[in-house]
Amino acid sequence: MAVAKLRDSTGFETGFPMSDIQVLERQIRDAIAGAADEAALESVRVSALGKKGAVSELLKTLGSMTPDERREKGALFNALRDRVAEAIAARKTVLEKEVLDARLAFERVDVTLPPRPQAAGTVHPVSQVLDEVTAIFADLGFAVAEGPDVEYDDYNFTKLNIPPDHPARQMHDTFYVAKQADGSRHVLRTHTSPVQVRTMLKQSPPIRIISPGRAYRVDSDATHSPMFHQFEGLVIDEVTHLGHLKWVLEEFCKAFFEVDAVEMRARPSFFPFTEPSVEWDLRCDRSGGQIKFGQGNDWLELAGSGMVHPRVLENCGIDPARYQGYAFGGGIDRLAMLKYAIPDIRSFFESDLRWLRHYGFAALDVPTLDGGLSG
Ligand code: DAH
């Protein structure tokens, strides 16, 4: 039989007489074993089993054979093709595993390594205290409510029983925003109390919310900043009274100042939106240059509060014959100054990095009641 000896690019010879089949198979197997990666293996496959591959060329020679010869060699050639295909598949599995192993080794993370010793940023004491206050009231069953910094005059004042000519408006030293098309003026909210209004307008009782946020007044000295932070609390239900209010504030103080007991003193006061109105002081000891709570002979102003004025309930669509409630509000910055011994409120807002490094909190120390409030 005349045999045309062909060589393809990888050097496999095709068109072998029968006796050379084992040689061809060994060559192919050597090439498969020598393929260092999947691309090399693929070119081995093409040169063996591709359209013009060595094995394919061999199969093509069957066409010119006699039926007997074809039966005999056909079986041999096909068996060769199957073995080669199998060997390629096996090598492919090995190579894939090698790639995966290499990648796993490369991307390996040693979880036992210690974390970086120090994060670059710190949490501002105001953010810290906002989170602390929120965590404490959330534990007492209060939901968090929010409102915008730019507020309707109506919500900031009128609905809270402070009509346009009311002298309390002067006390608030309001920042006014440019007149609206309808002649009304928005304000930078002077307190967080308008969130009470917003909540009552969209939610029916029972209501139990806390609303920490920013407030603004034209004022600036060591204890006043034109932008400052307050928290507002509101509870509306069928049976509420001053005793509930006192208990809630006491629980708050104990948790916030991290002491077992506090003593509170009530002083009669006036706020247009509450009747009666009460201001609360906390017994403290300032001797020794440090404040301690629950002992001593000094008193510290804590919060304004009172039973929600029936007119405020009415203004917000709540029936004062059926519902009553209490509200309270206090300064977040002041709480932060007290708890963390920060003397000047203005330093909070100067963005002095040295100050932030000194007074800031670690970024991952989220305050919780069971994990610890202030780390
Ligand atoms: N909004 C008052 C203020 O900024 C604080 C306040 C007093 C809030 C009494 C209240 C309250 O909810 O009942 O001075």
Side-chain angles (χ1 to χ4, degrees):
M1 177 180 140
V3 174
K5 291 223 171 186
L6 303 171
R7 269 178 196 277
D8 69 10
S9 58
T10 59
F12 297 143
E13 291 183 355
T14 58
F16 278 84
M18 273 305 291
S19 56
D20 288 338
I21 282 196
Q22 282 123 326
V23 178
L24 174 63
E25 182 170 354
R26 187 157 316 123
Q27 281 181 350
I28 297 176
R29 283 188 182 276
D30 286 350
I32 291 172
D37 56 30
E38 288 184 65
L41 183 64
E42 174 63 7
S43 63
V44 173
R45 188 194 66 78
V46 170
S47 61
L49 303 179
K51 246 192 205 156
K52 293 193 171 146
V55 176
S56 309
E57 294 294 345
L58 213 49
L59 284 161
K60 279 183 208 161
T61 62
L62 291 173
S64 55
M65 293 180 188
T66 64
D68 281 350
E69 221 182 354
R70 189 181 305 142
R71 199 170 309 120
E72 183 199 335
K73 301 211 170 147
L76 285 171
F77 293 174
N78 280 317
L80 169 68
R81 185 196 51 201
D82 293 348
R83 285 197 303 277
V84 167
E86 223 170 86
I88 289 174
R91 178 72 185 144
K92 190 160 190 244
T93 309
V94 170
L95 287 174
E96 279 171 355
K97 186 167 180 313
E98 274 176 21
V99 169
L100 184 64
D101 287 348
R103 182 157 170 214
L104 287 175
F106 178 72
E107 293 179 359
R108 186 187 148 88
V109 175
D110 185 351
V111 291
T112 64
L113 280 177
R116 284 191 198 166
Q118 177 113 54
T122 56
V123 173
H124 194 287
V126 168
S127 303
Q128 171 75 18
V129 170
L130 277 172
D131 288 348
E132 291 181 19
V133 169
T134 308
I136 296 168
F137 280 106
D139 191 61
L140 290 169
F142 286 65
V144 173
E146 285 183 313
D149 289 11
V150 179
E151 186 54 281
Y152 297 119
D153 180 296
D154 185 42
Y155 289 7
N156 193 80
F157 292 122
T158 316
K159 284 209 166 30
L160 288 169
N161 199 28
I162 314 176
D165 52 356
H166 196 286
R169 289 201 176 208
Q170 263 70 59
M171 282 161 39
H172 278 224
D173 300 315
T174 313
F175 283 111
Y176 285 94
V177 176
K179 265 202 176 115
Q180 303 297 299
D182 65 2
S184 70
R185 282 184 114 178
H186 295 347
V187 299
L188 293 188
R189 63 178 183 189
T190 57
H191 50 181
T192 43
S193 302
V195 183
Q196 289 188 23
V197 175
R198 288 178 171 273
T199 306
M200 287 190 273
L201 286 176
K202 67 167 189 269
Q203 189 186 328
S204 40
I207 291 172
R208 201 188 292 143
I209 55 126
I210 185 81
S211 180
R214 291 192 173 126
Y216 304 82
R217 286 184 203 176
V218 186
D219 212 351
S220 182
D221 60 36
T223 52
H224 297 91
S225 153
M227 187 279 294
F228 56 102
H229 299 81
Q230 285 193 332
F231 63 98
E232 184 78 18
L234 175 71
V235 173
I236 308 281
D237 209 335
E238 292 189 7
V239 184
T240 59
H241 55 69
L242 284 174
H244 296 148
L245 167 64
K246 184 178 185 218
W247 182 83
V248 163
L249 290 178
E250 251 169 24
E251 288 305 302
F252 167 72
C253 288
K254 283 194 286 185
F256 181 75
F257 291 111
E258 300 173 54
V259 291
D260 293 333
V262 289
E263 192 186 329
M264 286 184 8
R265 174 174 82 175
R267 267 185 297 114
S269 184
F270 172 80
F271 300 103
F273 33 90
T274 45
E275 180 59 38
S277 300
V278 184
E279 277 186 82
W280 298 96
D281 300 333
L282 203 55
R283 186 185 283 281
C284 65
D285 181 3
R286 288 176 197 264
S287 62
Q290 240 194 338
I291 294 199
K292 292 194 198 90
F293 295 96
Q295 49 183 291
N297 289 316
D298 290 317
W299 293 93
L300 184 115
E301 276 181 42
L302 183 70
S305 73
M307 299 308 292
V308 178
H309 198 297
R311 207 170 295 145
V312 173
L313 294 175
E314 231 165 50
N315 290 344
C316 299
I318 289 179
D319 178 6
R322 178 161 176 210
Y323 292 106
Q324 51 193 183
Y326 59 86
F328 50 90
I332 296 267
D333 318 84
R334 241 172 63 77
L335 287 178
M337 289 165 79
L338 283 170
K339 185 166 177 181
Y340 298 115
I342 302 169
D344 190 327
I345 193 175
R346 290 168 298 194
S347 63
F348 279 122
F349 311 117
E350 280 167 354
S351 301
D352 181 336
L353 279 180
R354 291 162 306 173
W355 184 92
L356 279 168
R357 274 185 209 115
H358 179 77
Y359 286 109
F361 292 81
L364 295 175
D365 281 351
V366 178
T368 59
L369 287 186
D370 41 357
L373 277 185
S374 52

